[in-house]
């Protein structure tokens, strides 16, 4: 035991113990520092900066590209509609070139009759039931409104 006690108090043993304790403290402080230190390194920060600048630089051209594609689609749709309308007008023009179609339209729209025919106008029975009073003032001719005013004033005197 005397050798052990002597070993315990020897300078070499004390220096070795002191070194181990110091190494343990340094290791603990480094692990704490590493735990506290963020994972963002200089390279990662530079990469993030480059990515953000690329996103900002490409945002406006991408937005313009998308808006131009939408405008192109709208113009193509309008062009297709214009082509359909032109086709309908060409068909209508071809129909009007036919004398039978023109005669049919003249008879329907202008109520023309051929010589020797008798023309009839059929009044809608539902329209005949509607009286003059049911029509609003804007729907009737101006002289009817004046005459109704005269009738109302005459009725109020009696």
């Amino acid at each position: 035991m005397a050798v052990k006690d002597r070993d315990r108090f020897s300078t070499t043993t004390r220096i070795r113990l002191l070194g181990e304790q110091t190494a343990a403290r340094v290791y603990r402080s480094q692990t704490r520092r590493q735990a506290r230190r963020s994972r963002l390194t200089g390279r990662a920060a530079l990469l993030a900066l480059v990515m953000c600048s690329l996103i900002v630089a490409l945002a406006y051209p991408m937005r313009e590209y998308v808006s131009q594609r939408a405008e192109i689609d709208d113009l193509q749709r309008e062009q297709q509609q214009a082509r359909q309308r032109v086709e309908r007008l060409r068909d209508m023009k071809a129909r009007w070139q036919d004398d039978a179609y023109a005669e049919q339209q003249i008879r329907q729209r202008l109520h023309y009759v051929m010589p020797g025919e008798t023309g009839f106008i059929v009044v809608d029975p539902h329209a005949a039931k509607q009286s003059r009073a049911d029509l609003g003032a804007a729907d009737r001719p101006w002289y009817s409104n004046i005459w109704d005013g005269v009738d109302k004033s005459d009725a109020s005197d009696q």
Side-chain angles (χ1 to χ4, degrees), residues 13-23 25:
T13 306
R14 274 194 256 154
I15 289 176
R16 189 171 36 117
L17 278 174
L18 194 63
E20 288 173 1
Q21 290 171 354
T22 307
R25 270 191 239 128

Side-chain angles (χ1 to χ4, degrees), residues 105-113 119-121:
Q105 291 299 314
I106 290 170
R107 285 174 172 250
Q108 280 181 354
R109 294 180 185 190
L110 302 176
H111 304 290
Y112 279 18
V113 291
F120 293 99
I121 296 178

Side-chain angles (χ1 to χ4, degrees), residues 44-148:
L46 182 63
L47 180 64
L49 181 66
V50 168
M51 292 300 291
C52 288
S53 62
L54 281 175
I55 289 171
V56 167
L58 293 176
Y60 181 73
M62 285 303 293
R63 187 183 71 174
E64 287 298 312
Y65 173 76
V66 169
S67 68
Q68 287 175 359
R69 290 303 306 169
E71 186 176 347
I72 288 171
D73 291 341
D74 290 341
L75 290 174
Q76 286 176 345
R77 190 176 346 20
E78 286 178 17
Q79 182 182 23
Q80 182 64 28
Q81 290 173 352
R83 283 182 182 153
Q84 290 172 352
R85 184 167 184 263
V86 165
E87 190 62 34
R88 283 194 314 266
L89 290 174
R90 282 184 182 153
D91 289 344
M92 186 180 293
K93 181 181 176 186
R95 276 188 268 150
W96 277 101
Q97 297 298 325
D98 183 22
D99 290 335
Y101 180 77
E103 182 181 328
Q104 175 192 12
Q105 291 299 314
I106 290 170
R107 285 174 172 250
Q108 280 181 354
R109 294 180 185 190
L110 302 176
H111 304 290
Y112 279 18
V113 291
M114 296 299 286
E117 293 179 351
T118 305
F120 293 99
I121 296 178
V122 178
V123 179
D124 185 18
H126 299 291
K129 290 180 183 176
Q130 187 179 18
S131 67
R132 240 181 38 182
D134 291 343
L135 295 173
D139 295 334
R140 297 183 297 173
W142 62 273
Y143 52 84
S144 295
N145 293 333
I146 291 176
W147 194 252
D148 286 342

